[in-house]
Amino acid sequence: MKLKLRIWRQSGAEAKGRMVEYIVDGISEDASFLEMLDVLNEQLIAEGADPVAFDHDCREGICGACSLVIDGQAHGPQAATTTCQLHMRKYRDGDVIDVEPWRAGAFPVIKDLVVDRTAFDRIIAAGGYISAPTGTAPDAHATPVAKQDADAAFAAAACIGCGACVAACPNGSGMLFMAAKVAHLARMPQGQPERHTRVLGMVAEHDASGFGGCTNTGECSAACPKEIGLDVIGQLNRDFRKAAAKAA
Amino acid sequence: MSTDLKPRKAAPAKAGGRPARSPRLRSSIGLKLVMAVSGLLMVGFIIAHMAGNLHVFEGRESMNDYAHGLRTFGEPLIPHESLLWVMRLGLIAAVGAHIWSSVVLTRRALAARPVRYASKKPAKGESRHAAATMRWGAAVIVLFVTWHLLDLTFRTVNPVKEVPDAYGAVVAAFAPERWPVTVFYLLALVALGFHLRHGIWSAVQTIAGPDTRWRARWQAAALGVSVIVVAGFAVVPLAVSFGLVN
Ligand code: HEM
Ligand code: FES
């Protein structure tokens, strides 16, 4: 199939960017979206032009590296799917496709479609961990966890940290990402000792990084490739309220 | 735009390792809590106000007695208009807190996306009308409340100046020849309806953080309350305009 692409090109962090049009031809419907961009890049390299920079790593939907806003939707039109798992059979010959980077002040563009997601690492470093003594791994059944809690923790832990929630949020908020980690650890016995300092620290870092607040529109969940629900934000709100009251 | 790859210092801490109080209240979740609590206080007021208005259908005497009762409640144990002033002060505080927190959060949200998307898709989240209606809806509500106070509280723009005659003022406010006023009231009610449809369940989400099942129930309850409030308010001007109350 033949497609017209409009892609955000920006030569560097400080440079001014703009949408640039490209035509790609001979794209198989079995190609993934990223493979389609690979075809474009080979074409650009052959022409001596600068290829389009985009993030990718596993290309199997588990690492969280890929990150494109395709026709205004983070990770494209298919629900519960990362960009690398999106396939060209979703498109028809002659389609025009807009491709933009995640847009958030806290995620500055490094080049073209690649953004700097260090802010997420800082949020995790501000409390999204447990402190555990090192040594041999404990027996798997040494600390029992109720099935219900294990399932909820596991669902929250499915977050791959891609940042689609921020890209989709009308407020550029990082709440779903932060809440997934808070909810994950809040359901585990190992997460209890640092539960309150965790939530206060992470929220402070989230705000300091320049992410917006949550208005509960739910765009984050709708865009999340791992279908993390708004209930994790409910848990975050509850933990924050309790931690803030206790620290007062 | 700068690319700061250096890790920033973690959570701001006061002496003693404890984060200061105001950053918590001014954090994105603290401000949401302020917005949620003040919003729910206003919801309580608005339901009571809506129910009170329905006295219009019982005639001039009942309506005026109700308005009078609000002023003389508890007399002579407590001074004249005590209840009214407690409600007014509470309401002013709630409105102030609500507007303050919403302005701070809105400015942060706008700053959080300095470059807009070139391509837009319709919203598909759980509360898909919220982003499109909450903020301009709030502006309409502010204009409406201002007019409403000048019309029925201070009577500046109302032909009936006698304070005890609430009934007469309502009939005059929505007289058929003042139809633009009625149309404006109804439009403002639509904005209020959308505001409450999202606001009520959003406030519950912020304060209580319900699970998935309860969230769906609260969303349904929010819709129900919004429909009742809008309908309850709308029947009064409509009844006056169409001559059912005069
Ligand atoms: C007076 C002018 C008003 C302004 C400027 C205003 C502004 C706002 C804004 C900007 C929001 C947040 C929107 C969002 O989450 O995207 C909001 C939420 C809300 N509003 Fe208002 N509003 C006003 C009046 C009212 C009234 C009259 C009521 C109740 C009868 C109300 C109840 C609520 C509630 C319950 C929320 C939800 C709080 C939350 O999301 O946690 N508001 N308001
Ligand atoms: S490249 Fe790893 S999730 Fe898409």
Side-chain angles (χ1 to χ4, degrees):
Chain A
M1 63 179 97
K2 188 171 173 177
L3 301 162
K4 187 199 270 187
L5 303 169
R6 291 195 298 217
I7 302 181
W8 180 261
R9 300 303 310 265
Q10 180 175 336
S11 59
E14 310 296 338
K16 241 181 110 65
R18 63 190 181 95
M19 298 296 276
V20 178
E21 272 186 26
Y22 299 97
I23 304 287
V24 280
D25 203 353
I27 300 295
S28 155
E29 63 167 25
D30 295 327
S32 74
F33 198 88
L34 296 185
E35 284 161 351
M36 182 273 293
L37 290 181
D38 292 339
V39 171
L40 169 69
N41 275 346
E42 278 166 17
Q43 192 178 305
L44 290 175
I45 292 167
E47 290 166 6
D50 194 20
V52 178
F54 61 88
D55 258 329
H56 61 106
D57 188 15
C58 71
R59 297 209 178 194
E60 54 183 38
I62 55 166
C63 74
C66 59
S67 59
L68 306 177
V69 172
I70 303 167
D71 285 331
Q73 299 172 93
H75 287 307
Q78 193 169 316
T81 307
T82 54
T83 296
C84 60
Q85 290 294 293
L86 175 66
H87 284 79
M88 297 313 291
R89 50 185 159 272
K90 268 272 171 187
Y91 294 91
R92 279 172 214 290
D93 190 52
D95 277 356
V96 180
I97 309 175
D98 286 352
V99 189
E100 297 173 78
W102 286 173
R103 290 284 186 215
F107 286 164
V109 170
I110 296 172
K111 185 172 187 214
D112 297 335
L113 303 170
V114 178
V115 299
D116 177 6
R117 286 172 277 187
T118 310
F120 268 9
D121 296 339
R122 286 197 302 262
I123 293 176
I124 293 298
Y129 53 79
I130 59 158
S131 301
T134 55
T136 45
D139 285 339
H141 62 322
T143 312
V145 180
K147 169 96 169 88
Q148 213 184 347
D149 290 332
D151 287 350
F154 199 81
C159 172
I160 53 177
C162 63
C165 43
V166 176
C169 175
N171 309 307
S173 177
M175 285 290 168
L176 193 71
F177 166 77
M178 173 167 55
K181 188 50 64 202
V182 166
H184 162 205
L185 297 177
R187 299 301 281 260
M188 304 295 291
Q190 294 87 344
Q192 301 315 309
E194 290 147 312
R195 190 164 171 175
H196 284 176
T197 49
R198 169 178 309 120
V199 66
L200 294 177
M202 289 177 84
V203 170
E205 184 56 47
H206 168 276
D207 292 358
S209 287
F211 292 103
C214 172
T215 56
N216 301 320
T217 66
E219 293 307 315
C220 50
S221 272
C224 177
K226 299 298 158 185
E227 300 184 290
I228 291 175
L230 290 187
D231 38 351
V232 297
I233 296 185
Q235 174 91 56
L236 168 71
N237 291 338
R238 248 183 293 144
D239 277 20
F240 179 85
R241 177 167 52 72
K242 288 182 192 154
K246 204 164 168 206
Chain B
M1 269 183 284
S2 75
T3 319
D4 182 12
L5 286 160
K6 294 183 297 280
R8 194 209 322 281
K9 243 187 115 262
K14 228 170 37 173
R18 188 193 261 186
R21 188 192 185 107
S22 71
R24 267 175 274 134
L25 190 66
R26 278 161 215 234
S27 71
S28 44
I29 302 181
L31 287 166
K32 277 298 277 187
L33 282 163
V34 172
M35 183 137 81
V37 171
S38 59
L40 289 181
L41 283 174
M42 288 193 274
V43 172
F45 162 77
I46 231 152
I47 292 172
H49 184 7
M50 185 272 290
N53 287 359
L54 299 177
H55 283 286
V56 152
F57 293 103
E58 296 168 4
R60 182 179 297 253
E61 212 161 305
S62 167
M63 177 76 178
N64 289 352
D65 280 354
Y66 165 69
H68 185 65
L70 284 180
R71 287 171 174 75
T72 54
F73 179 87
E75 276 182 44
L77 278 181
I78 50 177
H80 186 65
E81 295 201 342
S82 299
L83 176 68
L84 207 58
W85 275 107
V86 168
M87 290 205 298
R88 279 177 184 163
L89 292 177
L91 208 55
I92 289 168
V95 170
H98 199 76
I99 294 182
W100 167 68
S101 51
S102 70
V103 167
V104 177
L105 285 172
T106 299
R107 293 183 51 177
R108 282 189 200 171
L110 294 177
R113 172 147 308 129
V115 183
R116 302 284 181 98
Y117 289 109
S119 182
K120 290 208 172 58
K121 265 278 139 67
K124 54 183 178 179
E126 273 178 36
S127 212
R128 64 195 66 192
H129 302 294
T133 60
M134 289 307 270
R135 289 176 190 145
W136 72 259
V140 172
I141 296 171
V142 169
L143 287 177
F144 166 77
V145 170
T146 310
W147 171 267
H148 183 69
L149 289 174
L150 293 175
D151 192 6
L152 290 165
T153 303
F154 306 121
R155 309 280 173 88
T156 320
V157 295
N158 193 295
V160 178
K161 307 289 180 198
E162 298 78 32
V163 173
D165 193 10
Y167 183 90
V170 169
V171 171
F174 303 112
E177 61 277 12
R178 288 226 307 179
W179 63 268
V181 172
T182 307
V183 170
F184 174 49
Y185 261 77
L186 296 177
L187 282 178
L189 282 177
V190 172
L192 179 66
F194 275 110
H195 203 87
L196 295 184
R197 146 84 182 74
H198 175 73
I200 292 176
W201 88 261
S202 177
V204 173
Q205 165 83 350
T206 300
I207 296 168
D211 66 13
T212 310
R213 257 175 53 229
W214 275 100
R215 197 166 69 246
R217 288 176 191 163
W218 277 108
Q219 285 164 351
L223 180 60
V225 173
S226 316
V227 168
I228 292 169
V229 166
V230 171
F233 273 120
V235 290
V236 174
L238 284 174
V240 176
S241 281
F242 289 99
L244 298 173
V245 168
N246 52 42

